[in-house]
Amino acid sequence: MEEEELFDQSHCDHCACGAGLDFDFSFAFQPIVDADTGGIMAHEALVRGLNGEGAGEVLGRVTRSNMYRFDQACRVKAVKLASELGMTSRLCINFMPNAVYRAETCIQTTLAAARRYDFDTSRLVFEFTEVENLADTDHLISIVDAYEEMGFAIALDDYGAGYSRMNLLTDTTPEYLKLDMSLIRDVEQYPRKQAVIEGILLTNDRLGIATIAEGIETEAEYQWCRGMGIRYFQGYLLARPGFETLPSPYIPSDH
């Protein structure tokens, strides 16, 4: 079958209904707020069961044999639901590098979905996590390079939680880096965490990467991060993920 046949817009309908998978799923959306403007910079799409079950219930059914189809369905479903909800911010979609065999080919379904559901592709942000067990880091770097050449923004998620591959920062140019919640938790009480974050912020500033503090749960965490000049925030303090909705965030005032 020709590639353009496989990835015509009708293929979006198959992915949107989870065709070929023996389970179905939906999404919750959590806002990422811009503390400088008081607005919403983006929403992260978080996979959920059809009745709002946690991500673990869904991801536990993903196998090596259905990983590619699941990854494609995630992208289409997230774009479709975001469009239906009238999302005007950026949309952050997590992707599975091990499910992408060739970036230029695998992205076609996402592009078709954006056309089908009238979602501006310039508002798509693809997130990858440093904690995923990657068989080939060079493969991930090639995906990121290809996506950036196509004009998509890239976010490095969960930074500080796992392998901390420094070459992901030296060999790629993510637009955003998300500090893992393990660094954020009670940061105002831990000088060592503060020193690590200060080092990351200095690196990001030199590389032109915007920092997102994720997992913010307390005013004290927010105020410490805000005092360090962090602009973007995500976490339960601001808004819990809304199942198939776009929740309105609470934005603390700067002290």
Side-chain angles (χ1 to χ4, degrees), residues 50-110:
L50 291 181
N51 297 308
E53 298 91 344
E57 293 288 320
V58 178
L59 297 177
R61 304 186 69 174
V62 178
T63 65
R64 291 182 64 86
S65 62
N66 66 19
M67 182 186 300
Y68 172 77
R69 189 170 294 277
F70 174 74
D71 188 60
Q72 293 291 315
C74 278
R75 299 164 185 238
V76 173
K77 283 175 172 285
V79 168
K80 180 176 185 289
L81 185 54
S83 178
E84 291 173 347
L85 293 173
M87 185 184 296
T88 58
S89 71
R90 285 187 151 189
L91 170 63
C92 296
I93 302 175
N94 293 277
F95 75 92
M96 306 172 72
N98 289 334
V100 177
Y101 58 86
R102 186 168 179 267
E104 295 83 352
T105 301
C106 297
I107 197 64
Q108 295 305 314
T109 306
T110 310

Side-chain angles (χ1 to χ4, degrees), residues 172-188:
T172 66
T173 54
E175 186 168 338
Y176 302 103
L177 181 148
K178 301 178 79 171
L179 296 173
D180 185 71
M181 64 178 65
S182 63
L183 285 175
I184 296 298
R185 189 64 59 246
D186 299 322
V187 62
E188 77 284 354

Side-chain angles (χ1 to χ4, degrees), residues 129-213:
T129 176
E130 67 157 4
V131 300
E132 182 173 356
N133 183 21
L134 295 169
D136 184 356
T137 304
D138 290 339
H139 175 58
L140 170 60
I141 292 171
S142 71
I143 296 170
V144 171
D145 287 344
Y147 282 4
E148 288 178 334
E149 287 178 9
M150 294 180 220
F152 298 116
I154 299 295
L156 175 53
D157 196 11
D158 300 321
Y159 195 77
Y163 299 99
S164 296
R165 298 182 181 89
M166 289 303 298
N167 62 324
L168 294 180
L169 289 182
T170 58
D171 296 341
T172 66
T173 54
E175 186 168 338
Y176 302 103
L177 181 148
K178 301 178 79 171
L179 296 173
D180 185 71
M181 64 178 65
S182 63
L183 285 175
I184 296 298
R185 189 64 59 246
D186 299 322
V187 62
E188 77 284 354
Q189 301 177 30
Y190 293 96
R192 289 181 179 272
K193 287 186 179 184
Q194 296 171 16
V196 170
I197 292 176
E198 288 173 21
I200 295 172
L201 292 176
L202 177 61
T203 299
N204 287 352
D205 183 62
R206 293 284 296 274
L207 295 176
I209 300 171
T211 303
I212 300 172

